[in-house]
Amino acid sequence: MLNKINLDKQTYEVPNSKKPGQSGIYRNAQITELLETFSPKVKTMYDVFLAGHSLSKDSPCVGHRTVNAAGQRGPYVWETYHQVNHRILDFGSGVMNLLNHTLNEPRTKGIPIGLWSVNRPEWLISDMACAAFGLYTVALYDTLGPNAVEYVVNHSEMETVICSGDHITDLLKLKEQLPNLKAIISLDPIGDDNKRVTPGSVSTAAVLKAWAEEKKVLLTDMATLEANGKKNRRSVASTQPEDLACLMYTSGTTGNPKGVMLTHRNFVSAVAGSYYSLGGYQSDTTISFLPLAHIFGKINDCVALAFGSRIGYFAGDMNTLTDDIQELKPTVMAAVPRLLNRIYGKIASSTINAPGVVGSLARRGVAAKLENLANKNGYTHPVWDHLLFNKVKQALGGNMRLIVTGSAPIGKDIMQFLRVALCCDIREGYGATETTAATACHIEGEYEAGHLGAPFAENEVMLVDVPEMDYLSTDPYPRGEICVRGPNVFQGYFKEEEKTREAIDEEGWFHTGDIGTINERGCLIIIDRKKNIFKLAQGEYIAPEKIENVYSKDTLVAQIFVHGDSLQSSLVAVLVPEEEALKSFLAAKSPKFAKLSHGELCKDPEVAQLVLNQLNKVGKKAGLHGFELARAVYLEEEQFTMEKDLLTPTLKVKRPQAKKYYEDKIAAMYDQINNQPTKAKL
């Protein structure tokens, strides 16, 4: 049943669903029945594409930027839905012919296929080809190190990998550690290029082919298989909703990645929830840059396909994303807080933080628009947009109507500022790989920030007591661990029965590890984290991820690691500052800092103290207790990276590794704290 949107009552509590130790069961108040699909005809991932195809046969589907001989990027070129469908069927047929006839694979469906590339049209074509022919993909992150690649390839038992040309050598180097690897399919041509090299030299293609042959790996490319499939077309598989669509590896901060088993039913229901909650138009243009090996990026593209809209892929370099946006002029974008913080910093510096008349005018305009937004009158204003903000919104191409942000919390003030400055709808969402990304999100017309809106209509949410942290469903507003149930919840962890039982209970509830509450408007709010909890020396429980999320809402923070242990009574932090934000912050403090380089600023004790003061100002405003505030901070000039083994593939800090890497810095901070006079301690 589709009810009218009521921003003051966004969730519906299922009658008689409350039990001892848990809250009632909450559902989306607009659509109270759990959704399986957005159309009776759509039951699989390929059906999602066909739904868009039926709307937009000869309209653009996927686009990429051209590159001239000098390496300069040109305009976007497009392939229509009709053309993409032919490529899906041709390539899928070619892959099946390769598996069954060349590699003597007896199975005709349910075969894992690796997929390793940055976002590009061929990624989507490969993914949909696998879906159409009953195969399932296993995404390899483009930035995975060799150890993780080796683990995922072997653990998933994949024998065939589809990859961009730059990863062919990576796989061949690892062949001795990948005993099951039989075939590599390059998304880029690897045909004979002898005609383009110096006479007497050997072509790159010839070297790769010889190397692959030596390793007993069949090496071919997409174009070859498409041509083969066109001549020897196969019938699409009779795929069922419960068939596996994707094995997506996700890792916590310790141990090996876990293979999350996601079915076609999971994906279709998640797309359905997004379809109704977020909406869309056939005329939309989405920019795809969030990694398609991550669930957020993949669902974003699937939703675009469901509406028959177009997807423009970024050129592969985050440093030139702004140029891609200016060229594409998208209407829809999925983003993460770190990117939005950077956008905020650039816009704020030229508007509200600008000197003189410009800054004064911008501050008045922002204040008027924020008041307008708080009064439920939306993010546009006839006077101030004409005077100022129609120019500001050109920062994202000028056509942006919807931005969905997720993966981490975003600061309230930053979100509200961007809503009015960019004159567009910005919604914060919440999900996990295990819930196929779509758990909860702001609904249309949302005028506040600092919450996660209502559950998507394909799942329901419940809060379970966490008595050791004093979070109870009997509190005035129920509090507890967020649990999710619905057709979007994963089937389990591949080959990990014990971990699956820990994550999904007997009633089908996925236990997220996040602590949440439901506010007076029926909106979900994350207030803490159950996992990675430790005690300080005085016995106080600490959830470092919660504190990191609070601090990360400040634009100064690019990356942060908060540390403490049971032998110490306080916390310390290692922080990688956003360079431009740090310069702007310090410029307002004293002109003397302008003479110092970024590296010198990070080493300056006075700068560290100023940054620490700002962090704890943010922390106090967010309601952190005194014992949850960092007492010292080390400013790290260089980014946390996977190469340093400090980040997981999903860019979360690896806590044990970070503790070891910064062992000396952590010890020095505690020496500094413990040698302070007692009266200076919090």
Side-chain angles (χ1 to χ4, degrees), residues 564-597:
D565 63 53
S566 59
L567 299 178
Q568 301 289 345
S569 59
S570 55
L571 302 176
V572 296
V574 178
L575 183 149
V576 180
E578 283 282 5
E579 189 168 347
E580 292 302 319
L582 181 63
K583 287 180 181 178
S584 178
F585 170 75
L586 294 173
K589 300 293 183 183
S590 171
K592 68 181 180 181
F593 295 117
K595 301 176 183 178
L596 302 180
S597 67

Side-chain angles (χ1 to χ4, degrees), residues 466-471 515 527-547 562-566 568-571 623-629:
V466 186
E468 68 271 24
M469 298 179 71
D470 200 26
Y471 293 125
I515 308 294
I527 56 175
D528 213 330
R529 179 72 177 159
K530 185 178 178 182
K531 297 179 181 178
N532 295 323
I533 295 172
F534 56 82
K535 277 186 180 181
L536 292 175
Q538 68 271 40
E540 300 287 1
Y541 280 103
I542 295 292
E545 290 175 351
K546 179 191 79 170
I547 299 167
V562 171
H563 173 76
D565 63 53
S566 59
Q568 301 289 345
S569 59
S570 55
L571 302 176
L624 293 182
H625 298 291
F627 59 82
E628 292 178 299
L629 301 176

Side-chain angles (χ1 to χ4, degrees), residues 500-558:
T500 298
R501 286 194 296 271
E502 290 173 0
I504 306 176
D505 66 26
E506 294 178 352
E507 295 183 347
W509 291 99
F510 167 58
H511 292 246
T512 66
D514 292 316
I515 308 294
T517 186
I518 302 290
N519 72 8
E520 70 281 357
R521 297 174 60 221
C523 299
L524 179 66
I525 302 174
I526 293 178
I527 56 175
D528 213 330
R529 179 72 177 159
K530 185 178 178 182
K531 297 179 181 178
N532 295 323
I533 295 172
F534 56 82
K535 277 186 180 181
L536 292 175
Q538 68 271 40
E540 300 287 1
Y541 280 103
I542 295 292
E545 290 175 351
K546 179 191 79 170
I547 299 167
E548 289 163 355
N549 284 337
V550 168
Y551 285 155
S552 293
K553 293 177 183 179
D554 193 274
T555 54
L556 281 176
V557 180

Side-chain angles (χ1 to χ4, degrees), residues 573-638:
V574 178
L575 183 149
V576 180
E578 283 282 5
E579 189 168 347
E580 292 302 319
L582 181 63
K583 287 180 181 178
S584 178
F585 170 75
L586 294 173
K589 300 293 183 183
S590 171
K592 68 181 180 181
F593 295 117
K595 301 176 183 178
L596 302 180
S597 67
H598 182 63
E600 289 170 333
L601 291 174
C602 289
K603 292 179 176 65
D604 190 313
E606 185 179 353
V607 172
Q609 186 59 50
L610 288 170
V611 170
L612 180 64
N613 294 343
Q614 175 63 16
L615 284 182
N616 290 330
K617 180 181 177 182
V618 170
K620 289 174 183 177
K621 186 177 179 181
L624 293 182
H625 298 291
F627 59 82
E628 292 178 299
L629 301 176
R631 289 282 314 283
V633 64
Y634 171 73
L635 301 184
E636 169 61 271
E637 181 181 356
E638 298 182 356

Side-chain angles (χ1 to χ4, degrees), residues 29-47:
Q30 189 185 12
I31 307 174
T32 57
E33 298 299 319
L34 297 185
L35 289 175
E36 291 271 357
T37 183
F38 58 92
S39 167
K41 295 180 180 179
V42 176
K43 297 181 179 180
T44 69
M45 284 276 287
Y46 183 51
D47 290 341

Side-chain angles (χ1 to χ4, degrees), residues 486-503:
N488 61 318
V489 172
F490 76 128
Q491 305 308 294
Y493 298 116
F494 188 59
K495 298 180 181 177
E496 299 274 10
E497 292 185 11
E498 185 176 343
K499 289 182 179 178
T500 298
R501 286 194 296 271
E502 290 173 0

Side-chain angles (χ1 to χ4, degrees), residues 423-486:
C423 309
C424 81
D425 188 1
I426 303 180
R427 307 191 202 178
E428 186 171 8
Y430 167 66
T433 306
E434 289 87 346
T435 64
T436 326
T439 299
C441 193
H442 289 176
I443 61 177
E444 183 180 356
E446 182 54 68
Y447 57 93
E448 291 186 347
H451 63 83
L452 298 163
F456 279 107
E458 87 288 348
N459 63 203
E460 52 193 4
V461 169
M462 176 183 68
L463 305 177
V464 175
D465 289 357
V466 186
E468 68 271 24
M469 298 179 71
D470 200 26
Y471 293 125
L472 303 173
S473 57
T474 53
D475 292 338
Y477 291 107
R479 301 187 300 172
E481 182 180 10
I482 299 171
C483 298
V484 185
R485 184 172 67 179

